[in-house]
Amino acid sequence: MALSEPVCLKDFEPLARASLPQLTYEYFRGGSYPEQTLKDNEWAFQRYRLRPRLLRDVSKRDMRTNMLGQDIAFPIAVAPTAMHCLAHNDGELATAKAVKSMGTGMVLSAGSTTPIEDVAAASSPNGMLWAQVHLFRDFNTVRMVIRKAEENGYKVLVVTLDCQVSRRETWKRMKLPPGKRLCNFPDTDLANLVSVTSNDKVTWKDIDWLNSITSLPIVLKGILTGEDAREALKHNIAGIIVSNHGARNLDGTLATIDALSEVVEAVRGANVEIYLDGGVRTGTDVLKALALGATAVFIGRPVIWGLAYDGEEGVRKVLEIIRDEFSLAMALSGCSSLSDITPDLVVRDPRYDAKL
Ligand SMILES: Cc1cc2nc3c(=O)[nH]c(=O)nc-3n(C[C@H](O)[C@H](O)[C@H](O)COP(=O)(O)O)c2cc1C
């Protein structure tokens, strides 16, 4: 095997880096300064240790699950990330094809460089294809994206809450490749994108407004506290993604795996699904998140790295590797189905708390 052949998700980043302009690589990689949360999102998984159970028949492992009505082959889906065409010329189409071939799902970013309808056409008709929006400054754009998502069979609306204001220094110096554009903001340059997408006036009542204009189930992305999770329950939502936007907005938040239990506890007994993203890089990370109460996890940057490395095939490889690692982790901890992954499988390692 060539040394450059990736065998775990971490291997993809240097390979992608070698093929990307430096500024583009930094845009994909970076977190908010000084990147405390970026490091912690990945590192925090180490605070949880596994308590494997032995001598159980794990010869058949069922990783299938269901996310708000859509069946997927394993509980790892693709997070919404903007501008896939900067990673590979085939952009979001390559990602969608890889996702389809692996039987999992994806959330299409509002910052997609491929039209909503083309991504739908490349995806499986009954597959898990969700659309993401922010509450942009111009609500007509929000309406337009939702209409297109509905018309093209997207099943869920993911509303990202954690970037009402944001700072993207790299965007000021970046340009999209010739012929590529932000499909939902066709007249906007990257340099102006933050001003068009930010809206620091939105409140919970705008979630009620969203509910009044769409019948799609709403999943709120970016919740990190029990308080906001309880508030969310008052606004007719179907799910929550515990997320800190891949550490790209507020630095210094809890790592998402550390925030997960609080959110799970806050919604106990309510009819909402909880997901997590941020720093998920291995099969054991997935196992830990599920044990702590997530229905499924999303991955962001590893998909970009796979795309930059080898387009559709690269994304497929990323998904295959983490799926197989997850299957192995299930087997080694005595789980043959997702319902075997229970809270007693993890323990928070007290030595890490002592260090803080
Ligand atoms: C390059 C990049 C672009 C992103 N674009 C969006 C976006 O358009 N909408 C959104 O809700 N989240 C966006 N995110 C956040 C991801 O959905 C997700 O929360 C994050 O990447 C998960 O962390 P991970 O990269 O450590 O897996 C973006 C993240 C990255 C790295």
Side-chain angles (χ1 to χ4, degrees), residues 116-193:
I116 287 183
E117 42 276 37
D118 295 0
V119 175
S123 302
S124 138
N126 299 317
M128 188 218 129
L129 180 60
W130 297 358
Q132 178 265 323
V133 289
H134 308 322
L135 286 156
F136 311 121
R137 185 146 300 184
D138 177 6
F139 275 19
N140 285 329
T141 309
V142 181
R143 264 199 202 90
M144 180 272 290
V145 176
I146 293 175
R147 277 298 88 80
K148 279 198 195 165
E150 288 172 343
E151 284 164 15
N152 286 282
Y154 287 68
K155 305 286 193 319
V156 166
L157 185 68
V158 173
V159 185
T160 302
L161 304 181
D162 57 9
C163 51
Q164 278 180 251
V165 284
S166 45
R167 190 172 160 200
R168 291 284 180 272
E169 290 305 310
T170 44
W171 284 1
K172 294 183 187 154
R173 287 175 289 149
M174 284 163 63
K175 284 209 170 355
L176 290 172
K180 302 288 183 186
R181 63 195 180 109
L182 294 158
C183 297
N184 295 320
F185 306 94
D187 305 322
T188 307
D189 287 336
L190 277 186
N192 301 323
L193 190 59

Side-chain angles (χ1 to χ4, degrees), residues 28 80-82 109 132 160 221 243 245 248 277-279 281 300-301:
F28 286 135
T81 50
S109 163
Q132 178 265 323
T160 302
K221 176 171 183 280
S243 171
H245 212 104
R248 291 164 81 79
D277 74 21
R281 300 292 179 266
R301 289 179 186 81

